[in-house]
Amino acid sequence: MSNVKLAIVYYSSTGTNYTVAKEAQKAAEEAGAEVRLRKAPELAPDEAIDSNPAWRKHIDETSDIEEATNDDLEWADAIIFGSPTRFGNVAAQIKQVIDSAGPLWMEGKLLNKVVSGFTSAQNPNGGQESTLLAMYNSFHHWGAIVVSPAYSDPKLFESGGNPYGTSITAGGDIPDEKLQAIRIQTNRVLEVASKFTEAYSDA
Ligand SMILES: Cc1cc2nc3c(=O)[nH]c(=O)nc-3n(C[C@H](O)[C@H](O)[C@H](O)COP(=O)(O)O)c2cc1C
């Protein structure tokens, strides 16, 4: 049973990253972790959201999910971030969560957090890897421990083999092997975080 406190912080306009975040939540809860599923606060104006019915529908359907706060980041032993790809980069909504963590960073409260990420893009080569690497840049500043899935399980190879994090091609049902990839990634994050948690409690 995992003793890890895991925050899953995602942003999603049309549901892809939400579905992946829910799968990560399920895997972590099955492993016994304490989980907070949190969405990044929306930054886009209603006008933009209303121009895309799928976006409006998703926002309305997930209105009950709590927004991420610095308290969630401080509470967590491990954090998995999920962001759609935006021009090969992290979505502004997730970047806002990261940037808002400045006060925690100043107090050293993000040191040794175990972190990982997943993403989606419309095209199979639309920038998933650059999005994850851009996301991880900030985590190095935090002094967090980036745990990527790598090829830690042969099934990850079959799922497209992105060693940086689970990556989805958006725009349809998410294939089972991709859901399996986020489950493997989540369990790896919990395993590493658990070892750190034990090490700190012994210290
Ligand atoms: C401003 C903007 C920039 C985008 N940039 C890219 C991109 O660089 N490559 C790509 O393949 N898809 C791009 N997309 C498509 C999104 O990545 C896609 O809609 C998203 O992964 C869907 O995730 P969601 O359902 O969780 O919102 C972009 C979409 C928007 C709105």
Side-chain angles (χ1 to χ4, degrees), residues 14-45:
T14 53
T16 313
N17 287 276
Y18 166 72
T19 302
V20 179
K22 290 290 286 182
E23 193 70 21
Q25 178 187 25
K26 206 168 132 204
E29 286 177 349
E30 281 169 13
E34 198 180 333
V35 182
R36 290 187 186 180
L37 177 70
R38 298 289 187 261
K39 66 186 178 195
E42 185 54 88
L43 299 175

Side-chain angles (χ1 to χ4, degrees), residues 95-196:
K95 190 63 169 46
Q96 176 79 355
V97 172
I98 291 172
D99 291 355
S100 299
L104 295 179
W105 167 76
M106 283 186 73
E107 292 178 47
K109 290 182 171 168
L110 298 169
L111 282 171
N112 301 333
K113 299 281 182 191
V114 171
V115 294
S116 199
F118 62 85
T119 188
S120 69
Q122 188 173 358
N123 289 302
N125 299 301
Q128 287 94 336
E129 294 183 0
S130 62
T131 297
L132 289 171
L133 290 171
M135 184 191 282
Y136 295 167
N137 280 340
S138 301
F139 302 153
H140 290 294
H141 286 248
W142 286 4
I145 296 155
V146 176
V147 174
S148 42
Y151 298 122
S152 54
D153 186 303
K155 295 189 188 81
L156 295 174
F157 223 87
E158 294 154 25
S159 77
N162 184 342
Y164 304 99
T166 300
S167 297
I168 310 294
T169 304
D173 287 343
I174 299 177
D176 285 347
E177 64 265 24
K178 293 289 186 183
L179 296 175
Q180 190 173 49
I182 189 61
R183 296 175 71 82
I184 292 168
Q185 184 175 354
T186 301
N187 279 303
R188 180 165 154 75
V189 166
L190 294 179
E191 186 190 334
V192 174
S194 176
K195 286 181 179 156
F196 271 96

